[in-house]
Amino acid sequence: MKAAQRREEIFGIIKGSESPVSANTLAEKFGVSRQVIVQDIAILRANGNTVTATNRGYMADAGSCASRIIKCRHSLEELVDEGMLIIDAGGRITDVSVNHRLYGKISAKLDLETRTHVEELYRSLMAGASKPLMSVTDGYHYHLITAEDEETLDRIEQLLKSRGYLIET
């Protein structure tokens, strides 16, 4: 079997599994070393496939196949509303970033998928442990949003626009 075909099959197995698939399991199935599987995963990622490594194995993000970077502005108090709008409309907030005049682009991974995730983030920020990135840019920030399809992303943008959070670029 050629390497490209093996990688296709590896991604199909990972994508089709509801639980993480270990590198050792994949290595045994394809008769290669664990290191070959690790390299195959790196190549799959480099080719744009979303593969997440966990302590139990690899998982593919099969539910989110469309993504978009959006620019927003709102207050800390409106953070929950913004997050709930995105989640309830079928989106996932992958990260947040700001363009700082001195330091350039600063980003943080969020992976907010549920209303509970949004509430936990807000509680953490309100506890004073840290300030949100948007605090250094007067509320302006970017999100990488993923969703099942482009229509869902369009709907999310319309909802954010209707609340005055979306900054059109």
Side-chain angles (χ1 to χ4, degrees):
M1 172 181 296
K2 293 188 178 192
Q5 182 183 357
R6 182 181 63 242
R7 284 190 287 273
E8 255 183 63
E9 289 188 29
I10 288 170
F11 190 64
I13 291 168
I14 294 170
K15 197 171 178 181
S17 178
E18 292 184 21
S19 59
V21 181
S22 73
N24 288 336
T25 299
L26 293 168
E28 286 176 24
K29 175 167 178 46
F30 293 102
V32 296
S33 69
R34 183 183 176 286
Q35 185 57 37
V36 167
I37 298 298
V38 171
Q39 290 170 348
D40 284 344
I41 296 296
I43 292 168
L44 284 167
R45 286 177 173 155
N47 289 335
N49 296 293
T50 306
V51 179
T52 303
T54 71
N55 61 349
R56 295 186 335 250
Y58 297 108
M59 296 185 70
D61 187 4
S64 296
C65 56
S67 65
R68 189 174 298 170
I69 295 174
I70 58 168
K71 184 176 184 181
C72 293
R73 182 175 189 234
H74 55 76
S75 67
L76 176 59
E77 293 74 27
E78 294 168 319
L79 181 141
V80 173
D81 187 49
E82 175 207 42
M84 297 298 187
L85 276 174
I86 294 168
I87 301 301
D88 291 347
R92 176 179 177 206
I93 307 168
T94 302
D95 69 19
V96 61
S97 64
V98 295
N99 288 326
H100 192 275
R101 290 183 185 189
L102 181 61
Y103 302 120
K105 182 179 179 182
I106 304 169
S107 64
K109 195 153 195 63
L110 293 177
D111 289 329
L112 304 177
E113 299 178 356
T114 66
R115 294 174 70 84
T116 302
H117 291 157
V118 174
E119 291 166 352
E120 288 170 354
L121 173 66
Y122 183 72
R123 276 195 300 273
S124 175
L125 291 170
M126 293 310 291
S130 296
K131 295 210 182 269
L133 282 178
M134 67 183 198
S135 67
V136 300
T137 56
D138 196 31
Y140 290 97
H141 59 284
Y142 297 86
H143 284 301
L144 173 60
I145 307 294
T146 58
E148 190 172 314
D149 52 43
E150 292 292 329
E151 292 78 22
T152 301
L153 292 173
D154 291 341
R155 188 171 59 252
I156 290 168
E157 280 193 356
Q158 286 303 315
L159 289 167
L160 292 170
K161 184 177 181 180
S162 72
R163 293 281 170 87
Y165 301 151
L166 185 69
I167 305 296
E168 299 191 58
T169 52

